[in-house]
Amino acid sequence: MKILLGTAFAFTGMAFGICNSIAASPGITSSCNIIQRNGTVANFTGDSVSYVQIIRTPTGTGTQKNVNASCELALPPGTAVYYNFKNTGISCIIDGIATTDWLETVYASGETYLACHIVK
């Protein structure tokens, strides 16, 4: 299993990212690391990032929480691509916990959305 190293401290101060040992990584801080259409990872900051968000909600099972992290930005228009664990072998990391439950969508319009989910 590949794990890209990426952590984030966004709004709630908790970590989120997608990792692969020592390689550039898609992930989220107050910036957003996105896998581009050509498969390379790039960091986007400031006005180029539409939003970064981490939401924690109780699961109703003891102290467990659903943790959903997301990032949105705009790339130039082009071919739509979709990345996830199944087609990259890369895990998403939230709060230091690896998960295969993530999806990055780069729409033809350039709108790009990265979402990652864990239960902890």
Side-chain angles (χ1 to χ4, degrees), residues 46-89:
D47 291 342
S48 65
V49 179
S50 300
Y51 76 82
V52 175
Q53 182 175 39
I54 298 176
I55 299 173
R56 300 173 194 309
T57 56
T59 63
T61 306
T63 60
Q64 286 189 326
K65 293 188 177 172
N66 284 303
V67 182
N68 293 291
S70 59
C71 176
E72 184 176 341
L73 59 91
L75 293 175
T79 304
V81 293
Y82 304 90
Y83 299 109
N84 56 37
F85 177 78
K86 188 175 182 178
N87 68 14
T88 65

Side-chain angles (χ1 to χ4, degrees), residues 65-68 92 94-95 97-99 116-120:
K65 293 188 177 172
N66 284 303
V67 182
N68 293 291
C92 180
I94 302 177
D95 297 346
I97 299 169
T99 181
C116 185
H117 173 260
I118 62 168
V119 175
K120 73 172 212 174

Side-chain angles (χ1 to χ4, degrees), residues 1-4 19-21 85 88-93 98-100:
M1 171 190 299
K2 296 179 186 176
I3 296 185
L4 290 173
C19 305
N20 182 19
S21 51
F85 177 78
T88 65
I90 299 169
S91 293
C92 180
I93 306 296
T99 181
T100 58

